Amino acid sequence: MPADAARGLADAAKALPPPAEQPPSGPGHSNGATPAAASFAASTYTTADFEQDREYYAGLPLGLLHPAVLDHGAAAGCPATAGRRRYLCYFLHRHLEFRLPDAQSAAEVALEGGHAARLDTGCRGGGGGGAAVVWEKPFGNRPESPFWYAHVHSKDAAKAIAARSLLTKVVLEVWGEGETLEGLQAAVAAHPEAERAKWGGAEQSFKFVVDTWGCTFTMAQQVELIESMEGCTRFQGRIDLRSPQNRFWLIVVKSNGRGLPLLPDRYYFGREVAAGDRSVVSTYDLRRRRYLGPTSMDTEMAFLMCNICKARFCSARVRRCSLVLDPFVGTGSILIPAAHLGALTLGADIDIRVIKLGKKDKAGRQVNVWTNFRDYGLPPPLGLLRCDLHTAPFRDGLEEVLDAIVCDPPYGVRAGGKKSVAKERLITDRTSYIPSTDPYTLAECLHDLLDAAARLLRVGGRLAYFMPSAPGFYCEDEVPRHPALEMLANCEQMLTTRYSRRLILMEKVKTYSAAEAAAYFERRGPPRMSIDNMHEYIYKSPAELAAEAGVTLEEHRAAQAARIPRHRGKNI
């Protein structure tokens, strides 16, 4: 690089004003202009502040139970990454424990033949085996950072991560990164000339996108930052802000500690391989849906649930005959994203009134589950059954017919579970008869769910379900298991300071054996979970809980608040 050009870049870097010390305009990014008169100040956060923030996230679970994860910078020369390409996955700062499972499943869909590779349980020691993605931790090995690296076998897999996962903002082919702007520019200048010519030639139009983490730039600052990169990029093509052939991202990390985790200063520059698309969240927004119930699943979470199962029911070889069941279908809020993703759907519920009769909407029209599918123009369910898994009406010997089971079992916080029971009763009118039911504990419900999944899923099929969690009521050993199922993910979603719920992902790994299942459950004893006693805890007042614990109300509230790491609210 010529000395005069290097001096010019250094001068441009020195002239760049510091980032704004104010909250970002959105979760983890800012593309719009801030007021020109905004004041700027250097960060007042010290090394001790960064270390304290790091400790909050040191034990952050990754969601996946057997991920292939390398420390930052350990990929060079590692056998696990041989034959793979390295991309930067810029995640949204939402649902932190769901990010890797969501992206992993998207990459699995892109594998040859649509078949998901088995995760190598030995990959923590550096092996990647046949894993769809070998993950490399963000700079500084900070798991809370949104800047993860994905090592995949093909560009199609990288594109799939952005296009098919809900929590990925963009996937970049990294051209350079550094702790300072000068370091970034030197790294970009050293990027292979052949690659630069391929995407920055005279015939290629392009656009720069400036994105920030933990700070904001005015439009004038963004323009100045872009101009400072012209010397190291040396693009020959024309700028096209409307429909460029190539988009290049310049990401600046300058934490100010207001609402986001404190991360080390970092600059990234890369070519956009694919950008995320969250339009389905607004398209299927519950506020626009005519048939809803008190426990209808949030649209974003319903899509996340289906996303981590879709490696099976959206793959090329099973698309035409794939079948997804929700045995607690309610108003159909989980089957809708499954249908959108291309699956054939089937639902069941113990309440005939919910799936058949429905209710009237605001305009006084009768609506039900079928209404929602018609309104969205989606293929309706193949059928809706009035049944429960405790006394499922499936014929004996019916096995391996489903590709996925995705559901939200009733766990007693807002609506208690019920199961069918046989009672002596004279039925005078079968058209209006409601079968008898008894209470259904969560432990018993999950026992039946896992056994049904082990029988009805194809080998390789997946089960995704939610279970509640709270301090003193959740134990890793109590999470239900089955000899035919392997657990792949356990992702916690914080709901309140008092309780949360966990998305459990399991995969069928071998053919169902009734004798083996019976022996396994006999060894474990009757279904029993501490969570079955959680309802009383949830609805007690803070004063009552403090009195039971023998502490003051202020001490109780402080303990509750400390349980949730910094910046981890309902959606984090």
Side-chain angles (χ1 to χ4, degrees):
M1 189 178 192
D4 55 345
R7 284 194 297 270
L9 291 177
D11 292 339
K14 292 176 182 177
L16 184 68
E21 176 74 6
Q22 51 184 293
S25 59
H29 70 281
S30 171
N31 282 321
T34 55
S39 61
F40 296 88
S43 173
T44 59
Y45 287 85
T46 65
T47 301
D49 294 318
F50 278 87
E51 286 303 310
Q52 183 183 34
D53 202 66
R54 182 185 61 80
E55 290 176 4
Y56 272 104
Y57 291 93
L60 178 70
L62 302 180
L64 283 172
L65 297 185
H66 310 296
V69 177
L70 303 174
D71 285 339
H72 180 75
C78 178
T81 58
R84 296 175 184 258
R85 299 194 64 177
R86 182 178 187 256
Y87 296 92
L88 178 69
C89 284
Y90 181 7
F91 289 116
L92 296 169
H93 192 63
R94 297 175 61 80
H95 304 297
L96 301 192
E97 295 184 27
F98 293 76
R99 298 184 304 188
L100 294 194
D102 183 37
Q104 181 91 24
S105 181
E108 288 174 353
V109 177
L111 290 180
E112 184 180 358
H115 283 279
R118 300 287 307 154
L119 292 174
D120 185 345
T121 56
C123 59
R124 290 185 184 274
V133 183
V134 174
W135 294 101
E136 182 183 342
K137 291 180 181 178
F139 175 73
N141 293 317
R142 303 288 292 270
E144 75 276 19
S145 170
F147 305 104
W148 281 74
Y149 301 88
H151 296 260
V152 294
H153 287 291
S154 68
K155 185 169 64 176
D156 289 339
K159 288 182 176 180
I161 289 177
R164 297 173 180 171
S165 67
L166 207 60
L167 299 178
T168 305
K169 185 173 183 178
V170 67
V171 173
L172 301 177
E173 178 186 80
V174 181
W175 283 25
E177 58 183 276
E179 298 181 38
T180 63
L181 182 59
E182 295 91 333
L184 171 71
Q185 292 166 341
V188 173
H191 191 66
E193 186 65 35
E195 284 294 309
R196 185 186 290 102
K198 185 188 304 181
W199 306 107
E203 73 286 356
Q204 299 276 340
S205 64
F206 67 93
K207 173 185 177 180
F208 281 94
V209 177
V210 176
D211 197 281
T212 61
W213 170 271
C215 60
T216 55
F217 280 173
T218 65
M219 186 59 69
Q221 288 176 301
Q222 293 184 40
V223 172
E224 190 169 1
L225 183 61
I226 291 172
E227 290 177 348
S228 75
M229 297 296 295
E230 291 180 356
C232 60
T233 54
R234 302 194 294 274
F235 291 149
Q236 303 299 315
R238 61 183 178 86
I239 297 174
D240 186 347
L241 300 181
R242 292 185 177 273
S243 54
Q245 292 172 284
N246 300 303
R247 288 161 57 96
F248 294 89
W249 286 61
L250 177 55
I251 303 172
V252 181
V253 179
K254 293 279 186 181
S255 292
N256 61 21
R258 297 182 179 180
L260 293 172
L262 301 174
L263 299 178
D265 288 358
R266 196 74 173 167
Y267 292 81
Y268 300 90
F269 183 83
R271 182 181 65 85
E272 178 184 307
V273 175
D277 181 7
R278 287 174 54 86
S279 60
V280 292
V281 176
S282 57
T283 299
Y284 296 99
D285 194 325
L286 293 183
R287 292 173 294 183
R288 301 192 182 100
R289 201 171 298 177
R290 288 202 286 160
Y291 184 49
L292 289 173
T295 58
S296 293
M297 179 63 67
D298 168 70
T299 300
E300 181 183 38
M301 188 53 64
F303 267 93
L304 284 173
M305 294 178 72
C306 290
N307 276 356
I308 67 172
C309 278
K310 71 184 178 185
R312 287 305 174 190
F313 66 77
C314 280
S315 63
R317 296 189 183 183
V318 302
R319 181 185 297 275
R320 295 181 60 187
C321 60
S322 62
L323 183 60
V324 177
L325 168 69
D326 180 356
F328 313 99
V329 68
T331 59
S333 54
I334 292 178
L335 290 189
I336 285 173
H340 171 85
L341 293 170
L344 303 176
T345 60
L346 180 67
D349 203 284
I350 195 171
D351 193 341
I352 187 72
R353 294 165 295 186
V354 173
I355 59 176
K356 181 179 180 182
L357 302 180
K359 63 181 181 181
K360 291 187 177 180
D361 64 10
K362 295 179 181 179
R365 296 166 295 188
Q366 194 69 27
V367 293
N368 53 28
V369 177
W370 310 99
T371 305
N372 290 336
F373 283 83
R374 286 196 300 270
D375 287 350
Y376 290 128
L378 295 173
L382 299 180
L384 297 176
L385 308 177
R386 188 279 166 196
C387 69
D388 65 283
L389 295 177
H390 187 68
T391 54
F394 306 126
R395 63 175 174 79
D396 294 339
L398 182 65
E399 296 180 3
E400 300 194 2
V401 294
L402 301 176
D403 295 285
I405 297 176
V406 190
C407 60
D408 183 26
Y411 37 82
V413 175
R414 287 187 292 177
K418 297 288 185 180
K419 62 181 178 181
S420 299
V421 294
K423 293 183 179 179
E424 292 293 334
R425 183 174 296 177
L426 178 63
I427 303 175
T428 58
D429 185 358
R430 291 188 175 274
T431 60
S432 60
Y433 172 68
I434 305 298
S436 301
T437 61
D438 270 353
Y440 199 20
T441 67
L442 180 65
E444 190 178 9
C445 177
L446 296 184
H447 172 280
D448 293 339
L449 173 63
L450 266 64
D451 199 54
R455 285 189 293 108
L456 298 176
L457 287 174
R458 305 175 191 272
V459 173
R462 289 184 174 180
L463 163 68
Y465 70 91
F466 266 114
M467 62 175 285
S469 173
F473 296 90
Y474 170 77
C475 174
E476 193 74 29
D477 293 337
E478 284 193 348
V479 178
R481 304 294 206 280
H482 194 284
L485 303 174
E486 178 185 347
M487 190 181 300
L488 299 182
N490 183 339
C491 313
E492 184 179 18
Q493 180 193 11
M494 304 301 302
L495 298 176
T496 71
T497 57
R498 193 172 293 187
Y499 77 100
S500 61
R501 62 182 178 181
R502 293 174 177 271
L503 180 64
I504 307 298
L505 174 66
M506 309 187 83
E507 183 171 309
K508 184 173 179 178
V509 294
K510 61 181 178 180
T511 303
Y512 177 78
S513 167
E516 183 182 15
Y520 174 79
F521 288 128
E522 184 177 358
R523 290 194 302 270
R524 289 180 64 94
R528 187 178 297 109
M529 299 175 70
S530 302
I531 293 171
D532 287 326
N533 302 316
M534 197 175 78
H535 182 274
E536 182 181 358
Y537 161 81
I538 293 298
Y539 289 100
K540 281 184 177 179
S541 69
E544 290 175 316
L545 294 173
E548 289 182 2
V551 298
T552 66
L553 182 59
E554 290 72 20
E555 289 172 334
H556 169 75
R557 286 176 171 164
Q560 289 285 65
R563 190 177 68 85
I564 302 179
R566 190 182 300 180
H567 313 316
R568 283 196 68 199
K570 179 177 179 180
N571 295 321
I572 303 301

